[in-house]
Amino acid sequence: MNIQVFVRASCAVSGIVLLVWAVGQIRPDPAEVQSTLNDSGPAPTGRMVTLSSSKSSVAGIQLAVVRRGDLLIARTLPARITYDDSRHVSVRAATDGVLERVLVKPGDVVVSGQTIAVLRSPDIGNARSEVMTRTAALELAESERVWWSTLCENVKRLVDAIASNTPVDTIEIQFRNATLGEYRGKILAGYSKSLLASRLSASVGEIGQTGAVSGRIVQQRQSQQHQALAELNALMEQALFETGQHRKQSRAEAKTAERDLMVAKQLLSTLLGMTEGSASKLDPSGNTTDLARLEIRSPFSGTVERRTHSATERVVGGTELFVIADTSELWVEADVRGRDWNALQVSDGDSVIVTTPATLTQRLDAKVYFVGREVDSLSGAIPLVARIANPNKILRPGLFARMEVPVGTLRDVIVIHDSAIVDLDGQDSVFVKSENGYEPTAVQVGIRSGDRVEIRSGLHEGQSIVVDGAFVLKSEMLLEGEQ
């Protein structure tokens, strides 16, 4: 009995030893397995998927060739759509008054200079009346200045002609249409009297030499000549002085009237809340019977974004009445936190990518306008503002957005579109086109930036991969697996 048990135990032990030795001979060397895997590359993650050409066309299969290139690394920042400050204005009440009419509503398109409301204000009426009064005073002062300037110049010419001993008849012809006022008669009468005295003195002097008249008469005639000449010179000096003084005074009065008008216009411009130049365009004050009526006009072409008051409401100066904006171009304002300040690699004019819920997957191009310098005390961020075109008016101010901002660049890497990557059993994979169909191949994904992805292993240049329709191939592969 003991001998039989011993024999059985010996046989069992021998069998176990032989089995361990056989397993050791069959198991491959781990180093050889690893070398084989490295040489063969990534193993396919599933079976080959085959589609007919017609089915591929219906599925919308699109291929792309794998290439190496540079990958721009971007940081996605929260952002919001806002108005472009240069294309947005808040139209406010110029002064206290009552809204007589409101002519537009939100969504209306307006053009520059279009009347959008009518405000009635006594202050505006008083200011306009003052402008009209000062304008009339300036016109009167200017006419006075022109009159005395012309008169002064003509009197000078007349005096020069008399000094040249021009005959009276000739002077009258030369100055027939000239403005001389009362000085024409005074000076010409004095000149005629002086000429007559000169001729009488000359004739008496010739007769006196013959002894026909006494010497006393000769002296009397000569005295009359000198007196007439002295009176003429006095008249001319007085005329030159008076006209010169009047010209200076009229110039000063015209300058004063001009300053008074300028002050009145500035007061009106202040009430209207605009510069003097723009006030002359938007408030011509052509209505001389209803000066208190002010037409509020759109400062530029755009869309009425907001209206805050209705007709018959009383408003105070500075109250916002409308918001008008040209939304064909907007701003995208992103918040740059402290950790991203030094990483950003953008400057004015650089391109950034913007996405919004309103545009779904569409990626919009925007141009950097400026990077702010001041840190917001509440958010701890600085603004990065970019300009974005909005020709179809899809974007609206206040809309949430995301902005992809470059922070670096990967050089000479394999880059593919993220639409090529699918998840197969928890492994990132792509479908590689081969002669027999589409082969699912596992890849190691690196850095993602926007819709571009770095591939660190699993692909090489020149391969054709599916970039559109990969999910269709995945579904087809799963269906084949179930069958």
Side-chain angles (χ1 to χ4, degrees):
M1 183 68 178
N2 291 335
I3 295 174
Q4 291 178 351
V5 170
F6 176 76
V7 170
R8 291 176 180 174
S10 299
C11 291
V13 170
S14 299
I16 291 172
V17 171
L18 290 173
L19 179 62
V20 170
W21 178 83
V23 170
Q25 294 296 318
I26 297 173
R27 186 178 63 186
D29 182 29
E32 294 179 357
V33 171
Q34 184 65 34
S35 176
T36 302
L37 290 175
N38 291 339
D39 292 341
S40 60
T45 60
R47 296 185 305 167
M48 183 81 66
V49 179
T50 58
L51 291 178
S52 64
S53 58
S54 60
K55 197 170 183 179
S56 296
S57 177
V58 173
I61 303 297
Q62 297 290 332
L63 302 177
V65 178
V66 176
R67 301 189 186 280
R68 303 184 72 86
D70 296 338
L71 176 63
L72 187 66
I73 305 174
R75 182 75 52 81
T76 301
L77 303 176
R80 58 197 170 277
I81 306 296
T82 63
Y83 291 109
D84 184 337
D85 279 356
S86 63
R87 298 167 178 258
H88 165 267
V89 67
S90 174
V91 180
R92 299 179 180 273
T95 185
D96 298 355
V98 176
L99 282 173
E100 185 178 274
R101 298 176 65 192
V102 176
L103 305 175
V104 294
K105 62 183 183 300
D108 286 352
V109 177
V110 296
V111 297
S112 178
Q114 178 180 335
T115 301
I116 57 178
V118 177
L119 177 71
R120 187 168 294 280
S121 170
D123 292 338
I124 294 292
N126 294 333
R128 283 176 171 168
S129 177
E130 184 67 14
V131 169
M132 295 172 66
T133 301
R134 295 302 177 182
T135 300
L138 176 60
E139 292 175 356
L140 181 61
E142 186 65 20
S143 64
E144 288 280 338
R145 184 194 65 80
V146 173
W147 166 266
W148 286 110
S149 296
T150 304
L151 191 61
C152 184
E153 293 298 325
N154 289 338
V155 168
K156 285 182 179 180
R157 290 172 51 218
L158 179 58
V159 170
D160 292 339
I162 291 174
S164 301
N165 296 320
T166 304
V168 174
D169 295 341
T170 303
I171 290 177
E172 289 180 347
I173 293 174
Q174 291 178 351
F175 290 86
R176 178 178 300 167
N177 298 321
T179 301
L180 290 169
E182 62 180 3
Y183 299 103
R184 179 191 301 272
K186 290 181 179 180
I187 294 176
L188 289 181
Y191 184 41
S192 298
K193 183 178 178 180
S194 175
L195 291 177
L196 178 60
S198 296
R199 285 196 297 269
L200 290 176
S201 175
S203 61
V204 169
E206 293 176 356
I207 297 173
Q209 291 179 0
T210 60
V213 296
S214 62
R216 184 176 63 83
I217 295 176
V218 173
Q219 293 178 354
Q220 184 179 5
R221 294 301 183 188
Q222 291 176 346
S223 176
Q224 291 175 350
Q225 177 190 1
H226 294 157
Q227 183 179 356
L229 182 59
E231 290 175 355
L232 175 62
N233 289 332
L235 283 173
M236 292 189 298
E237 290 176 0
Q238 185 68 24
L240 291 173
F241 175 78
E242 289 179 355
T243 55
Q245 287 296 103
H246 281 298
R247 180 171 65 176
K248 292 179 181 179
Q249 184 177 357
S250 64
R251 286 177 176 175
E253 290 175 352
K255 288 291 185 182
T256 301
E258 185 177 358
R259 287 193 298 270
D260 291 343
L261 177 59
M262 180 178 64
V263 171
K265 285 185 176 181
Q266 288 175 351
L267 176 59
L268 177 59
S269 300
T270 302
L271 289 176
L272 295 174
M274 51 189 73
T275 62
E276 182 179 345
S278 61
S280 63
K281 295 178 181 179
L282 299 184
D283 181 46
S285 301
N287 190 344
T288 59
T289 59
D290 194 2
L291 300 181
R293 185 177 187 271
L294 172 65
E295 293 183 354
I296 301 174
R297 302 171 184 254
S298 175
F300 57 77
S301 299
T303 305
V304 178
E305 300 289 309
R306 184 166 62 246
R307 188 188 76 182
T308 59
H309 290 78
S310 300
T312 72
E313 286 192 71
R314 183 176 294 276
V315 295
V316 297
T319 300
E320 181 182 277
L321 303 178
F322 305 94
V323 171
I324 297 177
D326 176 7
T327 56
S328 61
E329 184 175 279
L330 296 170
W331 281 3
V332 187
E333 185 173 338
D335 293 329
V336 184
R337 307 289 176 176
R339 65 180 182 273
D340 296 326
W341 291 350
N342 296 326
L344 294 183
Q345 298 183 2
V346 293
S347 57
D348 295 356
D350 289 349
S351 294
V352 293
I353 300 300
V354 175
T355 57
T356 70
T359 56
L360 301 178
T361 59
Q362 186 178 2
R363 298 165 60 81
L364 306 175
D365 183 68
K367 299 293 183 182
V368 174
Y369 182 41
F370 68 86
V371 179
R373 304 295 301 170
E374 184 177 359
V375 179
D376 186 273
S377 59
L378 297 179
S379 64
I382 60 175
L384 189 159
V385 177
R387 283 176 167 165
I388 186 169
N390 187 32
N392 298 324
K393 308 298 177 67
I394 297 177
L395 304 177
R396 300 288 183 92
L399 184 66
F400 175 77
R402 294 187 182 277
M403 182 186 295
E404 297 176 11
V405 183
V407 294
T409 303
L410 287 179
R411 303 292 183 184
D412 192 27
V413 295
I414 290 180
V415 182
I416 66 173
H417 199 281
D418 62 356
S419 62
I421 300 175
V422 293
D423 186 327
L424 296 179
D425 296 329
Q427 173 67 54
D428 291 328
S429 305
V430 299
F431 286 96
V432 178
K433 183 71 171 67
S434 65
E435 294 181 358
N436 299 323
Y438 303 97
E439 181 179 3
T441 303
V443 294
Q444 182 182 3
V445 175
I447 294 177
R448 294 175 180 265
S449 181
D451 59 356
R452 301 294 171 180
V453 182
E454 174 199 9
I455 300 299
R456 293 179 178 174
S457 65
L459 293 176
H460 57 78
E461 283 188 277
Q463 289 180 300
S464 293
I465 61 173
V466 177
V467 293
D468 194 0
F471 283 101
V472 175
L473 295 178
K474 176 182 176 180
S475 301
E476 187 73 17
M477 185 180 72
L478 294 176
L479 290 174
E480 291 178 357
E482 292 178 356
Q483 296 173 357

